[in-house]
């Protein structure tokens, strides 16, 4: 695991975007997983800027969304899919055929998980998987207790996740379950990437990166990933020794 600490969010976001650009320059048809949320927003801004300037070409690149709130479709402005389309895929007019999201309103969520697993496998696996970290150490919607060896799955949400998620919605929204890529996807990705910013993330970052490896803190898996890259701003890294 390589740890990168930057003085501020903007610098961290640029560095994460540069890593994506390097990958796509080396492998234009790479398969990349992107997360929604506050932490990657700056990275997306840089990637859109770079693409518009001709510094990177995503026309051959394949993408998958990390996760979704079960019961919400892509038109809900609080959904993970809506977020990714708004901040990255729509501004760059990425072909829908190059992107696969979870259908979180599918009648058979297990089949939806299997379809995602098969899609990733058919493209040769993930070249890069970018994730954030929740206040409880979750990765994607792999909540505490998640199996390190699981692929895509759906499971109940932790209360803190439901509480924090309300900031993405204009009205209080009932959330009970999430559908997500698994921690095994992260372990098998050629380049697993964690990005985190802000003082609120400092305690869990310290616990995840300096404590024991345990599925009670799913993000602690990063300590076992040889090719992992961790991008933090000073605030998120403040409690690291």
């Amino acid at each position: 695991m390589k740890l990168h600490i930057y003085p501020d969010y903007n610098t961290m976001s640029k560095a994460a975007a540069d890593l994506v650009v390097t990958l796509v320059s080396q492998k234009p048809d790479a398969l990349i997983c992107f997360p929604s949320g506050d932490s990657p927003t700056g990275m997306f801004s840089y990637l859109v800027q770079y693409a518009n300037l001709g510094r990177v070409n995503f026309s051959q690149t394949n993408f998958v969304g990390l996760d979704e709130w079960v019961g919400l479709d892509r038109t809900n402005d609080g959904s993970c899919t809506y977020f990714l389309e708004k901040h990255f895929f729509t501004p760059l007019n990425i072909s829908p055929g190059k992107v696969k999201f979870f259908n979180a309103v599918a009648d058979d969520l297990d089949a939806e998980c299997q379809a995602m697993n098969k899609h990733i496998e058919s493209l040769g696996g993930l070249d890069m998987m970018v994730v954030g970290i929740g206040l409880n150490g979750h990765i994607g919607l792999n909540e505490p207790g998640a199996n390190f060896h699981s692929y895509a799955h759906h499971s109940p949400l932790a209360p803190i996740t439901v509480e924090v998620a309300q900031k993405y919605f204009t009205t209080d929204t009932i959330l009970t379950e999430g559908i997500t890529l698994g921690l095994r996807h992260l372990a098998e990705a050629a380049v697993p990437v964690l990005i985190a910013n802000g003082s609120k993330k400092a305690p869990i970052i310290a616990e995840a990166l300096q404590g024991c490896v345990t599925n009670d803190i799913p993000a602690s898996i990063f300590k076992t990933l040889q090719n992992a890259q961790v991008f933090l701003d000073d605030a998120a890294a403040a409690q690291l020794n």
Side-chain angles (χ1 to χ4, degrees):
M1 184 186 77
K2 292 185 178 179
L3 179 62
H4 310 274
I5 301 174
Y6 300 92
D8 53 50
Y9 174 70
N10 184 64
T11 309
M12 181 202 76
S13 298
K14 183 179 184 301
D18 290 343
L19 186 68
V20 175
V21 170
T22 297
L23 170 66
V24 175
S25 298
Q26 295 170 347
K27 188 177 182 181
D29 63 346
L31 175 60
I32 300 174
C33 170
F34 276 153
S36 59
D38 295 334
S39 293
T41 304
M43 178 188 71
F44 292 142
S45 295
Y46 273 106
L47 290 174
V48 170
Q49 176 184 333
Y50 290 163
N52 288 334
L53 291 173
R55 282 192 54 188
V56 63
N57 184 346
F58 290 114
S59 62
Q60 297 180 55
T61 311
N62 298 285
F63 300 93
V64 294
L66 175 60
D67 52 18
E68 189 54 274
W69 312 111
V70 168
L72 299 189
D73 66 26
R74 62 195 303 155
T75 64
N76 187 301
D77 61 8
S79 72
C80 304
T81 301
Y82 185 96
F83 180 97
L84 287 169
E85 289 182 330
K86 176 182 177 181
H87 290 279
F88 184 76
F89 296 111
T90 298
L92 292 182
N93 197 28
I94 302 292
S95 169
K98 290 291 187 179
V99 188
K100 183 171 179 60
F101 297 111
F102 284 110
N103 175 10
V105 295
D107 291 333
D108 189 337
L109 292 177
D110 290 332
E112 188 67 18
C113 291
Q114 290 303 314
M116 179 63 85
N117 292 337
K118 289 178 181 178
H119 177 73
I120 291 171
E121 183 179 358
S122 73
L123 292 173
L126 289 160
D127 294 289
M128 179 178 286
M129 183 169 171
V130 184
V131 299
I133 180 173
L135 294 177
N136 63 355
H138 75 210
I139 293 292
L141 291 174
N142 292 276
E143 299 283 25
N147 190 327
F148 277 0
H149 303 291
S150 65
Y151 288 112
H153 61 278
H154 57 99
S155 58
L157 298 171
I160 184 64
T161 301
V162 175
E163 179 184 338
V164 172
Q166 298 305 318
K167 66 183 178 181
Y168 299 117
F169 299 91
T170 53
T171 59
D172 285 347
T173 301
I174 297 174
L175 303 171
T176 59
E177 196 173 11
I179 186 168
T180 182
L181 295 192
L183 296 173
R184 188 161 181 179
H185 281 125
L186 187 69
E188 293 180 357
V191 183
V193 180
L194 173 65
I195 54 177
N197 64 285
S199 58
K200 288 184 179 180
K201 298 294 177 70
I204 194 62
I205 284 291
E207 195 169 359
L209 301 186
Q210 295 182 162
C212 298
V213 176
T214 169
N215 66 349
D216 289 337
I217 303 175
S220 67
I221 194 175
F222 267 88
K223 294 179 64 178
T224 72
L225 306 180
Q226 185 175 1
N227 296 321
Q229 306 277 341
V230 178
F231 291 80
L232 307 173
D233 67 1
D234 274 341
Q239 296 186 26
L240 291 174
N241 294 331

